[in-house]
Amino acid sequence: MDTQKRRKTTFAALRPNSTLPGAALILIAGTVFSRIGDSLASLGLVLNAADKGIHWGVTEVLLAELLPTVVAAPLLGAVVDRFSARPVCLAALLLQSFALGAATAIPTFHVRVALIALSGLAGVASVAAAFKILPAVAGTERTGRANSLLTAGMSLASLIGPALAGFLHSVSGTAVLLGADAVSFLILAGCTMRAVPRSMDVAIGRRPTSKLSDGYRALRHTPGLGPLMPAMAAVILATSIEGVAGVFYLRGIASGNDTVYGLFLATWALGSVPGALLAGRAEWAQRHRTLILGGVLGISLGLLTVGLVPLAGLVFPLFLVAGFGNGACNVGLRNAVHDHVPAEVQGNAWACFQALSRSCIGLGYLLGTPNSLISSQGQVIASGAIPLAAVVWAALTGLRRKRSGRPALNETSG
């Protein structure tokens, strides 16, 4: 009888940590739906540029998505931290919907790209505010689980979005894709209003004197986070290099079969789903260092082996491993920021991380571009070697800190 009581108590204690509130699920579902809409708009413009034969059109679209975040992140992140996250998020989502709606009505390609850039600018604020809102909606003890489900959902969106965009573009054209993205932002705004009542704003940290440099300072100096930033920058750079060079290298080892190449990419996204879900388990919730460095290691070994051994059949299991690491790494990073960065600067910190991420992506695109100095296979090999070196460096640094008597990263062991 006594044992049965203890069992019931244990299950009752576990249940709140594993079950998310309905409000958090609504917010996550709206965010995933909006991410699919983003894929529709982005790929729609890329296909539009290709159809019209617009020189540098694809580059123009990519720059419109990258530059606003890089330039405006500190300013907009500070805005999120100075004011209530809820109205900032809603205003930004409405501006994004307006920009995409206007792009739907205006057929001029370059004007559409400019409106995409405006939407991206507002997106810096909406993403930073949503990141800050999530712990208040899910509850601090369930934030890791919420990050896990959100990351898994984003991976599924990256599978669904491009395929759906290709089909809709062939049937309906670019305007429909842009309009669908505009609607997705309205749906996310509705989900946010439903999930986050006005009274909840008081639970979200605010800093009226927030400075532009607070976000970068938090990323660099926060224990448990700063030492991991080089590894994160390295893996983002590496996957971006592979994202360009891999188009040529992977299609080559697939004998030019685009279907097989598409399956390669889908395998990575599929692998990231279980990686994200595993990282959301209670026993892994505080093991940020293990999730991030282990995830980066999985990505680096997957890419390095794919580059060294050009066999199509080997790409599938290796991309599953790399994708698994990608999902675990993303959850570990989100948890680390939520757990280690004070709530009053989380918006700025996350916005600045997005800027760092986009900078690495842009540089990776350039380094992955075909050139006469290094083959596409060599570029893929380099994309695996770069994060591997970063993981080794982080491990040696942690070991050195441990031997000197200093805590490595303030990680709670699971």
Side-chain angles (χ1 to χ4, degrees), residues 233-382:
V235 79
I236 295 168
L237 175 69
T239 52
S240 301
I241 292 173
E242 190 280 329
V244 178
V247 174
F248 305 95
Y249 175 66
L250 294 176
R251 289 183 75 249
I253 64 176
S255 303
N257 190 318
D258 287 338
T259 301
V260 174
Y261 172 68
L263 290 174
F264 287 160
L265 303 186
T267 302
W268 186 299
L270 282 173
S272 66
V273 174
L277 293 176
L278 178 68
R281 293 175 65 89
E283 59 267 31
W284 288 94
Q286 299 300 317
R287 303 179 71 174
H288 312 132
R289 175 184 170 87
T290 302
L291 289 173
I292 292 174
L293 294 185
V296 173
L297 181 63
I299 294 169
S300 64
L301 292 177
L303 292 177
L304 185 61
T305 309
V306 164
L308 291 172
V309 187
L311 294 175
L314 198 59
V315 175
F316 292 107
L318 289 172
F319 268 25
L320 276 175
V321 170
F324 187 95
N326 201 166
C329 179
N330 287 341
V331 175
L333 173 69
R334 291 181 65 92
N335 288 346
V337 176
H338 277 137
D339 286 352
H340 292 297
V341 175
E344 60 267 22
V345 292
Q346 281 182 6
N348 202 342
W350 193 247
C352 288
F353 176 75
Q354 297 302 310
L356 172 66
S357 172
R358 298 298 174 91
S359 299
C360 292
I361 289 171
L363 180 59
Y365 285 163
L366 291 176
L367 294 177
T369 301
N371 60 78
S372 58
L373 298 177
I374 182 171
S375 67
S376 59
Q377 181 178 8
Q379 289 169 317
V380 172
I381 292 171

Side-chain angles (χ1 to χ4, degrees), residues 96-316:
Q96 288 180 273
S97 181
F98 171 79
L100 268 299
T104 303
I106 300 173
T108 307
F109 176 80
H110 299 295
V111 175
R112 282 177 166 175
V113 173
L115 289 167
I116 286 287
L118 175 61
S119 175
L121 201 61
V124 177
S126 65
V127 168
F131 182 85
K132 194 167 183 174
I133 285 170
L134 189 61
V137 174
T140 305
E141 72 281 3
R142 302 183 188 91
T143 300
R145 178 65 175 159
N147 281 328
S148 169
L149 285 179
L150 179 60
T151 303
M154 292 297 199
S155 298
L156 289 175
S158 70
L159 265 176
I160 297 168
L164 185 60
F167 170 73
L168 290 177
H169 187 268
S170 65
V171 173
S172 306
T174 305
V176 171
L177 300 180
L178 296 172
D181 196 18
V183 172
S184 78
F185 285 122
L186 288 178
I187 291 173
L188 179 54
C191 289
T192 303
M193 292 179 67
R194 171 78 175 172
V196 190
R198 295 186 182 185
S199 59
M200 189 175 287
D201 285 349
V202 296
I204 304 172
R206 275 180 275 176
R207 175 177 284 187
T209 59
S210 178
K211 299 176 182 177
L212 299 185
S213 59
D214 284 348
Y216 286 117
R217 186 180 294 113
L219 293 178
R220 183 178 178 183
H221 296 296
T222 299
L225 184 62
L228 299 174
M229 282 297 106
M232 287 302 309
V235 79
I236 295 168
L237 175 69
T239 52
S240 301
I241 292 173
E242 190 280 329
V244 178
V247 174
F248 305 95
Y249 175 66
L250 294 176
R251 289 183 75 249
I253 64 176
S255 303
N257 190 318
D258 287 338
T259 301
V260 174
Y261 172 68
L263 290 174
F264 287 160
L265 303 186
T267 302
W268 186 299
L270 282 173
S272 66
V273 174
L277 293 176
L278 178 68
R281 293 175 65 89
E283 59 267 31
W284 288 94
Q286 299 300 317
R287 303 179 71 174
H288 312 132
R289 175 184 170 87
T290 302
L291 289 173
I292 292 174
L293 294 185
V296 173
L297 181 63
I299 294 169
S300 64
L301 292 177
L303 292 177
L304 185 61
T305 309
V306 164
L308 291 172
V309 187
L311 294 175
L314 198 59
V315 175
F316 292 107

